[in-house]
Coordinates of all heavy atoms in Angstrom, one line a residue:
M1 N 0.8 -1.2 0.0 CA 0.0 0.0 0.0 C 0.9 1.3 0.0 O 0.6 2.2 -0.8 CB -0.9 0.0 1.2 CG -1.8 1.1 1.3 SD -3.3 1.0 0.3 CE -4.0 -0.5 0.7
L2 N 1.9 1.3 0.9 CA 2.7 2.5 0.9 C 3.6 2.7 -0.3 O 3.8 3.8 -0.7 CB 3.6 2.4 2.2 CG 3.0 2.5 3.5 CD1 4.0 2.3 4.6 CD2 2.4 3.9 3.6
L3 N 4.0 1.6 -0.9 CA 4.9 1.7 -2.1 C 4.2 2.3 -3.3 O 4.8 3.0 -4.0 CB 5.4 0.3 -2.4 CG 6.5 0.2 -3.5 CD1 7.7 1.1 -3.2 CD2 6.9 -1.2 -3.8
H4 N 2.9 2.1 -3.4 CA 2.2 2.7 -4.5 C 1.5 4.0 -4.2 O 1.0 4.7 -5.0 CB 1.1 1.7 -5.0 CG 1.7 0.4 -5.5 ND1 2.4 0.3 -6.7 CD2 1.7 -0.8 -5.0 CE1 2.8 -0.9 -6.8 NE2 2.4 -1.6 -5.8
G5 N 1.6 4.4 -2.9 CA 0.9 5.6 -2.5 C 1.9 6.7 -2.1 O 2.6 7.3 -2.9
S6 N 2.0 6.9 -0.8 CA 2.7 8.0 -0.3 C 4.2 7.9 -0.5 O 4.9 8.9 -0.8 CB 2.5 8.2 1.2 OG 1.1 8.5 1.4
V7 N 4.8 6.7 -0.4 CA 6.2 6.6 -0.6 C 6.6 6.8 -2.0 O 7.6 7.5 -2.3 CB 6.7 5.2 -0.1 CG1 8.1 4.9 -0.5 CG2 6.5 5.0 1.3
A8 N 5.8 6.4 -2.9 CA 6.0 6.6 -4.4 C 5.9 8.1 -4.7 O 6.7 8.7 -5.4 CB 5.0 5.9 -5.2
R9 N 5.0 8.8 -4.1 CA 4.8 10.3 -4.3 C 6.1 11.0 -3.7 O 6.6 11.9 -4.3 CB 3.6 10.8 -3.6 CG 2.3 10.2 -4.1 CD 1.9 10.6 -5.5 NE 2.7 10.1 -6.5 CZ 2.6 8.9 -7.1 NH1 1.7 8.0 -6.7 NH2 3.4 8.6 -8.1
L10 N 6.6 10.6 -2.6 CA 7.7 11.2 -2.0 C 9.0 11.0 -2.8 O 9.8 11.9 -3.1 CB 7.9 10.7 -0.5 CG 9.0 11.4 0.3 CD1 8.6 12.8 0.5 CD2 9.1 10.7 1.7
L11 N 9.2 9.7 -3.3 CA 10.3 9.4 -4.1 C 10.3 10.2 -5.5 O 11.3 10.7 -6.0 CB 10.5 7.9 -4.3 CG 10.8 7.1 -3.1 CD1 10.8 5.6 -3.4 CD2 12.2 7.5 -2.6
T12 N 9.1 10.3 -6.0 CA 8.9 11.0 -7.3 C 9.2 12.5 -7.1 O 9.8 13.1 -7.9 CB 7.5 10.8 -7.8 OG1 7.2 9.4 -8.0 CG2 7.3 11.5 -9.1
A13 N 8.8 13.0 -5.9 CA 9.1 14.5 -5.6 C 10.6 14.7 -5.5 O 11.1 15.7 -6.0 CB 8.3 14.9 -4.4
I14 N 11.2 13.8 -4.9 CA 12.7 13.9 -4.7 C 13.4 13.9 -6.1 O 14.3 14.7 -6.4 CB 13.3 12.8 -3.8 CG1 12.8 13.1 -2.3 CG2 14.8 12.8 -3.8 CD1 13.1 11.9 -1.4
L15 N 13.0 12.9 -6.9 CA 13.5 12.8 -8.3 C 13.3 14.1 -9.1 O 14.2 14.6 -9.7 CB 12.9 11.6 -9.0 CG 13.3 11.5 -10.4 CD1 14.5 10.6 -10.6 CD2 12.2 11.1 -11.3
L16 N 12.1 14.6 -9.0 CA 11.7 15.8 -9.8 C 12.4 17.0 -9.3 O 12.8 17.9 -10.1 CB 10.2 16.0 -9.9 CG 9.5 15.0 -10.7 CD1 8.0 15.1 -10.5 CD2 9.8 15.2 -12.2
T17 N 12.6 17.1 -8.0 CA 13.3 18.3 -7.4 C 14.8 18.2 -7.8 O 15.3 19.3 -8.2 CB 13.2 18.2 -5.9 OG1 11.8 18.3 -5.5 CG2 13.9 19.4 -5.3
A18 N 15.4 17.1 -7.8 CA 16.8 16.9 -8.3 C 16.9 17.3 -9.8 O 17.8 17.9 -10.2 CB 17.3 15.6 -8.0
A19 N 15.9 16.8 -10.5 CA 16.0 17.1 -12.0 C 15.8 18.5 -12.3 O 16.5 19.1 -13.1 CB 14.9 16.2 -12.7
G20 N 14.8 19.2 -11.6 CA 14.6 20.6 -11.7 C 15.8 21.4 -11.4 O 16.2 22.4 -12.0
Y21 N 16.5 21.0 -10.3 CA 17.7 21.7 -9.8 C 18.8 21.6 -10.8 O 19.4 22.6 -11.2 CB 18.1 21.2 -8.5 CG 19.3 21.9 -7.9 CD1 19.2 23.1 -7.3 CD2 20.6 21.3 -8.0 CE1 20.4 23.8 -6.8 CE2 21.7 21.9 -7.5 CZ 21.6 23.1 -6.9 OH 22.7 23.8 -6.4
A22 N 19.0 20.4 -11.3 CA 20.1 20.2 -12.3 C 19.8 20.9 -13.6 O 20.7 21.5 -14.2 CB 20.2 18.7 -12.6
I23 N 18.5 21.0 -14.0 CA 18.2 21.7 -15.3 C 18.4 23.2 -15.1 O 19.0 23.8 -16.0 CB 16.7 21.4 -15.7 CG1 16.6 19.9 -16.2 CG2 16.2 22.3 -16.7 CD1 15.2 19.4 -16.3
L24 N 18.0 23.7 -14.0 CA 18.1 25.2 -13.8 C 19.5 25.6 -13.6 O 20.0 26.7 -14.0 CB 17.2 25.6 -12.6 CG 15.7 25.5 -12.9 CD1 14.9 25.9 -11.6 CD2 15.3 26.4 -14.0
R25 N 20.3 24.8 -12.9 CA 21.7 25.1 -12.6 C 22.6 25.0 -13.9 O 23.5 25.7 -14.1 CB 22.3 24.3 -11.5 CG 21.7 24.6 -10.2 CD 22.1 25.9 -9.6 NE 23.5 25.8 -9.3 CZ 24.3 26.8 -8.8 NH1 23.7 27.9 -8.7 NH2 25.5 26.6 -8.5
S26 N 22.4 23.9 -14.7 CA 23.2 23.7 -15.8 C 22.9 24.4 -17.0 O 23.7 24.7 -17.9 CB 23.2 22.2 -16.1 OG 22.0 21.8 -16.6
G27 N 21.6 24.7 -17.2 CA 21.1 25.5 -18.4 C 21.1 24.7 -19.6 O 21.1 25.2 -20.7
T28 N 21.2 23.4 -19.5 CA 21.2 22.5 -20.7 C 19.8 22.4 -21.4 O 19.7 22.2 -22.6 CB 21.6 21.1 -20.4 OG1 20.8 20.6 -19.4 CG2 23.1 21.1 -19.9
L29 N 18.8 22.6 -20.6 CA 17.4 22.6 -21.2 C 16.7 24.0 -20.9 O 17.2 24.7 -20.0 CB 16.6 21.5 -20.6 CG 17.0 20.1 -20.9 CD1 16.2 19.1 -20.1 CD2 16.8 19.9 -22.4
P30 N 15.6 24.3 -21.5 CA 15.0 25.5 -21.2 C 14.5 25.6 -19.7 O 14.3 24.6 -19.1 CB 13.7 25.5 -22.1 CG 14.1 24.6 -23.2 CD 15.0 23.6 -22.6
R31 N 14.5 26.8 -19.2 CA 14.1 27.0 -17.8 C 12.8 26.5 -17.5 O 12.5 26.1 -16.3 CB 14.3 28.5 -17.4 CG 15.7 29.0 -17.6 CD 15.9 30.4 -17.1 NE 15.6 30.6 -15.7 CZ 16.4 30.2 -14.7 NH1 17.5 29.7 -15.0 NH2 16.0 30.5 -13.4
W32 N 11.8 26.5 -18.4 CA 10.5 26.1 -18.1 C 10.4 24.6 -17.7 O 9.6 24.2 -17.0 CB 9.5 26.4 -19.2 CG 9.8 25.7 -20.5 CD1 10.5 26.1 -21.6 CD2 9.3 24.4 -20.9 NE1 10.5 25.2 -22.6 CE2 9.7 24.1 -22.2 CE3 8.5 23.4 -20.3 CZ2 9.5 22.9 -22.9 CZ3 8.2 22.3 -20.9 CH2 8.7 22.0 -22.2
T33 N 11.4 23.8 -18.3 CA 11.4 22.4 -17.9 C 11.8 22.2 -16.4 O 11.2 21.3 -15.8 CB 12.3 21.6 -18.8 OG1 13.6 22.1 -18.7 CG2 11.8 21.6 -20.2
G34 N 12.7 23.0 -15.9 CA 13.1 22.9 -14.5 C 12.0 23.4 -13.6 O 11.7 22.8 -12.6
R35 N 11.3 24.5 -14.0 CA 10.2 25.0 -13.2 C 9.1 24.1 -13.2 O 8.4 23.9 -12.2 CB 9.8 26.4 -13.7 CG 10.8 27.5 -13.3 CD 10.3 28.8 -13.6 NE 11.3 29.6 -14.4 CZ 11.2 30.0 -15.6 NH1 10.1 29.8 -16.3 NH2 12.2 30.6 -16.2
L36 N 8.8 23.4 -14.3 CA 7.7 22.5 -14.4 C 8.0 21.3 -13.5 O 7.1 20.7 -12.9 CB 7.5 22.1 -15.9 CG 6.2 21.2 -16.1 CD1 5.0 22.0 -15.7 CD2 6.1 20.9 -17.6
A37 N 9.3 20.9 -13.5 CA 9.6 19.8 -12.6 C 9.4 20.1 -11.1 O 8.8 19.3 -10.4 CB 11.1 19.4 -12.8
Y38 N 9.7 21.3 -10.8 CA 9.3 21.8 -9.4 C 7.8 21.8 -9.1 O 7.4 21.4 -8.1 CB 9.9 23.2 -9.1 CG 11.4 23.2 -8.9 CD1 12.1 24.3 -9.3 CD2 12.0 22.2 -8.2 CE1 13.5 24.4 -9.0 CE2 13.4 22.3 -8.0 CZ 14.1 23.4 -8.4 OH 15.4 23.5 -8.1
A39 N 7.1 22.2 -10.1 CA 5.6 22.2 -9.9 C 5.0 20.8 -9.8 O 4.2 20.6 -8.9 CB 5.0 23.0 -11.1
V40 N 5.5 19.9 -10.6 CA 5.0 18.5 -10.5 C 5.5 17.9 -9.2 O 4.7 17.1 -8.6 CB 5.4 17.7 -11.7 CG1 5.0 16.3 -11.6 CG2 4.8 18.3 -13.0
A41 N 6.6 18.3 -8.7 CA 7.1 17.8 -7.4 C 6.2 18.3 -6.3 O 5.9 17.5 -5.4 CB 8.6 18.2 -7.2
I42 N 5.8 19.5 -6.4 CA 4.9 20.1 -5.3 C 3.5 19.3 -5.4 O 3.0 19.0 -4.3 CB 4.7 21.6 -5.5 CG1 6.0 22.3 -5.2 CG2 3.6 22.1 -4.7 CD1 6.1 23.7 -5.5
V43 N 3.0 19.0 -6.5 CA 1.8 18.3 -6.6 C 1.9 16.9 -6.0 O 1.1 16.4 -5.3 CB 1.3 18.2 -8.1 CG1 0.1 17.2 -8.2 CG2 0.9 19.5 -8.6
N44 N 3.1 16.3 -6.3 CA 3.3 15.0 -5.7 C 3.4 15.1 -4.2 O 2.9 14.2 -3.4 CB 4.6 14.4 -6.2 CG 4.4 13.6 -7.5 OD1 4.0 12.5 -7.5 ND2 4.6 14.3 -8.6
L45 N 4.1 16.1 -3.6 CA 4.2 16.3 -2.2 C 2.8 16.5 -1.6 O 2.6 16.2 -0.4 CB 5.1 17.4 -1.9 CG 6.6 17.1 -2.0 CD1 7.4 18.4 -1.7 CD2 7.0 16.0 -1.1
A46 N 1.9 17.1 -2.3 CA 0.5 17.4 -1.8 C -0.2 16.1 -1.6 O -1.2 16.0 -0.8 CB -0.2 18.3 -2.8
F47 N 0.2 15.0 -2.3 CA -0.5 13.7 -2.1 C 0.1 12.8 -1.1 O -0.3 11.7 -0.9 CB -0.6 13.0 -3.5 CG -1.8 13.5 -4.3 CD1 -1.6 14.6 -5.2 CD2 -3.0 13.0 -4.1 CE1 -2.7 15.1 -5.9 CE2 -4.1 13.5 -4.9 CZ -3.9 14.5 -5.8
V48 N 1.2 13.2 -0.5 CA 1.9 12.4 0.5 C 0.9 12.1 1.7 O 0.8 11.0 2.2 CB 3.2 13.0 1.0 CG1 3.8 12.2 2.2 CG2 4.2 12.9 -0.2
P49 N 0.2 13.1 2.3 CA -0.7 12.9 3.4 C -1.9 12.0 3.1 O -2.7 11.7 3.9 CB -1.1 14.3 3.8 CG -0.2 15.2 3.2 CD 0.3 14.6 2.0
S50 N -2.1 11.7 1.8 CA -3.3 10.9 1.4 C -3.3 9.5 2.1 O -4.3 8.8 2.1 CB -3.4 10.7 -0.1 OG -2.3 9.9 -0.6
L51 N -2.2 9.1 2.7 CA -2.0 7.9 3.4 C -3.1 7.8 4.5 O -3.6 6.7 4.8 CB -0.6 7.8 4.0 CG -0.3 6.7 5.0 CD1 -0.3 5.3 4.3 CD2 1.0 6.9 5.7
F52 N -3.4 8.9 5.1 CA -4.3 9.0 6.2 C -5.8 9.1 5.9 O -6.6 9.3 6.7 CB -3.9 10.1 7.2 CG -2.5 10.0 7.6 CD1 -1.6 10.9 7.2 CD2 -2.1 9.1 8.5 CE1 -0.2 10.8 7.6 CE2 -0.8 9.0 9.0 CZ 0.1 9.8 8.5
F53 N -6.1 9.0 4.6 CA -7.5 9.2 4.2 C -8.1 8.0 3.6 O -9.0 8.0 2.8 CB -7.6 10.4 3.1 CG -7.3 11.7 3.7 CD1 -6.0 12.2 3.8 CD2 -8.3 12.4 4.2 CE1 -5.8 13.4 4.4 CE2 -8.1 13.7 4.8 CZ -6.8 14.2 4.9
G54 N -7.7 6.8 4.1 CA -8.3 5.6 3.7 C -7.7 4.9 2.5 O -6.7 5.3 2.0
T55 N -8.3 3.7 2.2 CA -7.7 2.9 1.1 C -8.7 2.6 0.0 O -8.6 1.6 -0.7 CB -7.2 1.5 1.7 OG1 -8.3 0.9 2.4 CG2 -6.1 1.8 2.7
D56 N -9.8 3.4 -0.1 CA -10.8 3.2 -1.1 C -10.3 3.7 -2.4 O -10.0 4.9 -2.6 CB -12.1 3.8 -0.7 CG -13.2 3.5 -1.7 OD1 -13.0 2.6 -2.5 OD2 -14.3 4.2 -1.6
A57 N -10.1 2.8 -3.4 CA -9.6 3.2 -4.7 C -10.5 4.2 -5.5 O -10.1 4.9 -6.4 CB -9.3 2.0 -5.6
A58 N -11.8 4.2 -5.1 CA -12.7 5.1 -5.8 C -12.6 6.5 -5.3 O -13.1 7.5 -6.0 CB -14.2 4.6 -5.6
D59 N -12.0 6.8 -4.1 CA -11.8 8.1 -3.6 C -10.7 8.8 -4.3 O -9.7 8.2 -4.6 CB -11.6 8.1 -2.1 CG -12.8 7.7 -1.3 OD1 -13.9 7.9 -1.8 OD2 -12.7 7.3 -0.2
F60 N -10.8 10.1 -4.5 CA -9.7 10.9 -5.1 C -8.5 11.0 -4.3 O -7.4 10.7 -4.7 CB -10.3 12.3 -5.5 CG -9.2 13.2 -6.1 CD1 -8.9 13.0 -7.5 CD2 -8.6 14.1 -5.4 CE1 -8.0 13.8 -8.1 CE2 -7.6 15.0 -6.0 CZ -7.3 14.8 -7.3
Y61 N -8.7 11.3 -3.0 CA -7.6 11.6 -2.1 C -7.4 10.5 -1.1 O -7.6 10.7 0.1 CB -7.7 12.9 -1.4 CG -6.5 13.5 -0.8 CD1 -5.5 14.1 -1.7 CD2 -6.3 13.5 0.5 CE1 -4.4 14.6 -1.1 CE2 -5.1 14.0 1.1 CZ -4.2 14.6 0.2 OH -3.0 15.1 0.7
S62 N -7.2 9.3 -1.5 CA -6.9 8.1 -0.6 C -5.6 7.6 -0.9 O -4.9 8.0 -1.9 CB -8.0 7.1 -0.7 OG -7.9 6.4 -1.9
A63 N -5.1 6.6 -0.1 CA -3.8 6.1 -0.3 C -3.6 5.5 -1.7 O -2.5 5.6 -2.3 CB -3.5 5.0 0.8
V64 N -4.6 4.8 -2.2 CA -4.5 4.3 -3.6 C -5.6 4.8 -4.5 O -6.0 4.2 -5.5 CB -4.5 2.7 -3.6 CG1 -3.3 2.1 -3.0 CG2 -5.8 2.2 -2.8
G65 N -6.1 6.0 -4.2 CA -7.2 6.6 -5.0 C -6.7 7.0 -6.3 O -5.5 7.1 -6.7
W66 N -7.7 7.3 -7.2 CA -7.4 7.7 -8.6 C -6.6 9.0 -8.7 O -5.9 9.2 -9.6 CB -8.6 7.6 -9.4 CG -9.7 8.6 -9.0 CD1 -10.7 8.4 -8.1 CD2 -9.9 9.9 -9.5 NE1 -11.5 9.5 -8.0 CE2 -11.0 10.5 -8.9 CE3 -9.2 10.7 -10.5 CZ2 -11.4 11.7 -9.2 CZ3 -9.7 12.0 -10.7 CH2 -10.8 12.5 -10.1
G67 N -6.8 9.9 -7.7 CA -6.0 11.1 -7.8 C -4.6 10.9 -7.4 O -3.7 11.4 -8.1
N68 N -4.3 10.0 -6.5 CA -3.0 9.7 -6.0 C -2.2 8.9 -7.0 O -1.0 9.2 -7.3 CB -3.1 9.0 -4.7 CG -1.7 8.9 -4.0 OD1 -0.7 9.4 -4.5 ND2 -1.7 8.2 -2.9
T69 N -2.8 7.9 -7.6 CA -2.1 7.0 -8.5 C -2.1 7.5 -10.0 O -1.1 7.5 -10.6 CB -2.6 5.6 -8.4 OG1 -4.0 5.6 -8.6 CG2 -2.3 5.0 -7.0
A70 N -3.3 7.8 -10.4 CA -3.5 8.1 -11.9 C -3.0 9.6 -12.2 O -2.3 9.8 -13.1 CB -4.9 7.9 -12.3
M71 N -3.5 10.5 -11.4 CA -3.2 11.9 -11.8 C -1.8 12.3 -11.6 O -1.2 12.9 -12.5 CB -4.1 12.9 -11.0 CG -4.0 14.3 -11.5 SD -4.8 15.5 -10.4 CE -3.6 15.8 -9.2
T72 N -1.2 11.9 -10.5 CA 0.2 12.3 -10.3 C 1.1 11.5 -11.2 O 2.1 12.1 -11.7 CB 0.6 12.1 -8.8 OG1 0.3 10.7 -8.4 CG2 -0.2 13.0 -7.9
A73 N 0.8 10.3 -11.4 CA 1.7 9.5 -12.4 C 1.6 10.1 -13.8 O 2.5 10.2 -14.5 CB 1.3 8.1 -12.4
A74 N 0.4 10.5 -14.2 CA 0.2 11.1 -15.5 C 1.0 12.4 -15.6 O 1.6 12.7 -16.7 CB -1.3 11.4 -15.8
L75 N 1.0 13.2 -14.6 CA 1.8 14.5 -14.6 C 3.3 14.2 -14.8 O 3.9 14.9 -15.6 CB 1.6 15.3 -13.3 CG 0.2 15.9 -13.2 CD1 0.1 16.6 -11.8 CD2 -0.1 16.9 -14.3
V76 N 3.8 13.2 -14.2 CA 5.2 12.8 -14.4 C 5.5 12.4 -15.8 O 6.5 12.7 -16.4 CB 5.6 11.7 -13.3 CG1 7.0 11.3 -13.6 CG2 5.5 12.3 -11.9
V77 N 4.5 11.6 -16.3 CA 4.7 11.1 -17.7 C 4.6 12.3 -18.7 O 5.4 12.3 -19.6 CB 3.6 10.0 -18.0 CG1 3.6 9.7 -19.5 CG2 3.9 8.8 -17.2
Y78 N 3.7 13.2 -18.5 CA 3.6 14.4 -19.3 C 4.9 15.2 -19.3 O 5.4 15.8 -20.3 CB 2.4 15.2 -19.0 CG 1.1 14.6 -19.3 CD1 0.0 14.8 -18.5 CD2 0.9 13.7 -20.3 CE1 -1.2 14.2 -18.7 CE2 -0.3 13.0 -20.6 CZ -1.4 13.3 -19.8 OH -2.5 12.7 -20.0
W79 N 5.4 15.4 -18.1 CA 6.7 16.1 -17.9 C 7.8 15.4 -18.7 O 8.6 16.1 -19.4 CB 7.0 16.3 -16.4 CG 8.3 17.0 -16.2 CD1 8.6 18.3 -16.3 CD2 9.6 16.4 -16.0 NE1 9.9 18.6 -16.1 CE2 10.6 17.4 -15.9 CE3 10.0 15.1 -15.8 CZ2 11.9 17.1 -15.7 CZ3 11.4 14.8 -15.6 CH2 12.3 15.8 -15.5
A80 N 7.9 14.1 -18.5 CA 9.0 13.4 -19.2 C 8.8 13.5 -20.7 O 9.8 13.6 -21.4 CB 9.0 11.9 -18.7
L81 N 7.6 13.4 -21.2 CA 7.3 13.6 -22.6 C 7.7 14.9 -23.1 O 8.4 15.1 -24.2 CB 5.8 13.3 -22.9 CG 5.4 13.4 -24.3 CD1 6.0 12.3 -25.2 CD2 3.9 13.4 -24.4
A82 N 7.4 16.0 -22.4 CA 7.8 17.4 -22.8 C 9.3 17.5 -22.8 O 9.9 18.1 -23.7 CB 7.2 18.4 -21.8
V83 N 10.0 17.0 -21.8 CA 11.5 17.0 -21.8 C 12.0 16.2 -22.9 O 13.0 16.7 -23.6 CB 12.0 16.6 -20.4 CG1 13.5 16.4 -20.4 CG2 11.6 17.5 -19.3
G84 N 11.5 15.1 -23.2 CA 12.0 14.3 -24.3 C 11.8 15.0 -25.6 O 12.7 14.9 -26.5
I85 N 10.7 15.6 -25.9 CA 10.5 16.3 -27.1 C 11.4 17.5 -27.2 O 12.0 17.8 -28.3 CB 9.0 16.8 -27.2 CG1 8.1 15.6 -27.4 CG2 8.8 17.8 -28.3 CD1 6.6 15.9 -27.3
T86 N 11.7 18.2 -26.1 CA 12.6 19.3 -26.0 C 14.0 18.8 -26.4 O 14.7 19.5 -27.1 CB 12.6 20.0 -24.7 OG1 11.3 20.4 -24.4 CG2 13.5 21.2 -24.6
V87 N 14.4 17.7 -25.8 CA 15.8 17.2 -26.1 C 15.9 16.8 -27.6 O 16.9 17.1 -28.2 CB 16.1 16.0 -25.2 CG1 17.3 15.2 -25.6 CG2 16.2 16.4 -23.7
L88 N 14.8 16.2 -28.1 CA 14.9 15.8 -29.5 C 14.9 17.0 -30.4 O 15.7 17.0 -31.4 CB 13.6 15.0 -29.9 CG 13.7 13.5 -29.4 CD1 12.4 12.8 -29.7 CD2 14.8 12.8 -30.0
K89 N 14.2 18.1 -30.1 CA 14.3 19.3 -30.9 C 15.6 19.9 -30.9 O 16.1 20.4 -31.8 CB 13.2 20.3 -30.5 CG 11.8 20.0 -30.9 CD 10.9 21.1 -30.6 CE 9.6 20.8 -31.3 NZ 8.7 22.0 -31.1
R90 N 16.2 19.9 -29.7 CA 17.6 20.5 -29.6 C 18.6 19.7 -30.3 O 19.6 20.2 -30.8 CB 18.0 20.7 -28.1 CG 17.3 21.8 -27.4 CD 17.8 22.1 -26.1 NE 17.3 23.3 -25.6 CZ 18.0 24.3 -25.1 NH1 19.3 24.1 -25.0 NH2 17.5 25.4 -24.8
S91 N 18.5 18.4 -30.3 CA 19.5 17.5 -30.9 C 19.4 17.5 -32.4 O 20.3 17.2 -33.1 CB 19.4 16.1 -30.4 OG 18.2 15.5 -30.8
S92 N 18.2 18.0 -33.0 CA 18.1 18.0 -34.4 C 18.7 19.3 -35.0 O 18.9 19.4 -36.2 CB 16.6 18.0 -34.8 OG 15.9 19.1 -34.3
R93 N 19.0 20.2 -34.2 CA 19.7 21.4 -34.7 C 21.2 21.1 -35.0 O 21.8 20.4 -34.3 CB 19.7 22.5 -33.6 CG 18.3 23.1 -33.3 CD 18.5 24.2 -32.3 NE 17.2 24.5 -31.8 CZ 17.0 25.2 -30.6 NH1 18.0 25.6 -29.9 NH2 15.8 25.4 -30.2
P94 N 21.7 21.7 -36.1 CA 23.1 21.5 -36.4 C 24.0 22.1 -35.4 O 23.7 23.2 -34.8 CB 23.3 22.1 -37.8 CG 22.2 23.1 -37.9 CD 21.0 22.6 -37.1
L95 N 25.1 21.4 -35.1 CA 26.0 22.0 -34.1 C 26.9 23.0 -34.7 O 27.3 22.9 -35.9 CB 26.9 20.8 -33.6 CG 26.3 19.7 -32.8 CD1 27.3 18.6 -32.5 CD2 25.7 20.3 -31.5
T96 N 27.1 24.1 -34.0 CA 27.9 25.2 -34.5 C 29.3 25.1 -33.8 O 29.3 25.0 -32.6 CB 27.3 26.6 -34.3 OG1 27.0 26.7 -32.9 CG2 26.0 26.7 -35.0
R97 N 30.3 25.2 -34.5 CA 31.7 25.2 -34.0 C 32.2 26.6 -33.9 O 32.1 27.3 -34.9 CB 32.6 24.2 -34.8 CG 32.1 22.8 -34.7 CD 33.1 21.9 -35.5 NE 32.5 20.6 -35.6 CZ 33.1 19.6 -35.0 NH1 34.2 19.7 -34.3 NH2 32.6 18.4 -35.1
P98 N 32.9 26.9 -32.9 CA 33.5 28.2 -32.9 C 34.7 28.3 -33.9 O 35.4 27.4 -34.2 CB 34.1 28.3 -31.4 CG 34.1 27.0 -30.9 CD 33.1 26.1 -31.7
A99 N 34.8 29.5 -34.5 CA 35.8 29.7 -35.5 C 37.2 29.9 -35.0 O 37.5 30.2 -33.9 CB 35.5 30.9 -36.3

């Protein structure tokens, strides 16, 4: 129960916070990808207390509810898709060498 609920949300928030920090500090990707990583991490952290709201899967804010498992996981997938498309667009540009 914990592995798919609150613990998964906490681990995902840690991963996204680290990714957002690395993106913003290194400048390898646009700044919006780092800020979006922070936003999705905050949403994930908002679902950590859902552990205390029951185990009914039909409830939005429960340990295994559809908000906790489906919505937050979808946000992470959308963020990864956006970052992947951004990386592909950047890699399709020709490299410029200094003269």
Side-chain angles (χ1 to χ4, degrees):
M1 182 77 57
L2 289 176
L3 185 58
H4 299 289
S6 297
V7 173
R9 301 291 65 85
L10 189 59
L11 292 175
T12 304
I14 291 170
L15 172 97
L16 287 169
T17 302
Y21 180 78
I23 289 169
L24 291 175
R25 292 288 290 177
S26 68
T28 56
L29 291 173
R31 295 186 62 77
W32 66 265
T33 56
R35 285 190 229 115
L36 189 60
Y38 282 148
V40 175
I42 290 170
V43 170
N44 274 278
L45 285 176
F47 278 92
V48 170
S50 67
L51 170 71
F52 302 108
F53 290 89
T55 58
D56 186 11
D59 289 338
F60 178 79
Y61 198 76
S62 70
V64 290
W66 62 272
N68 191 3
T69 56
M71 188 186 84
T72 54
L75 289 176
V76 174
V77 170
Y78 294 148
W79 176 80
L81 180 67
V83 170
I85 290 171
T86 304
V87 168
L88 285 175
K89 282 188 171 187
R90 284 189 169 230
S91 66
S92 65
R93 293 182 192 162
L95 295 176
T96 57
R97 295 181 186 247

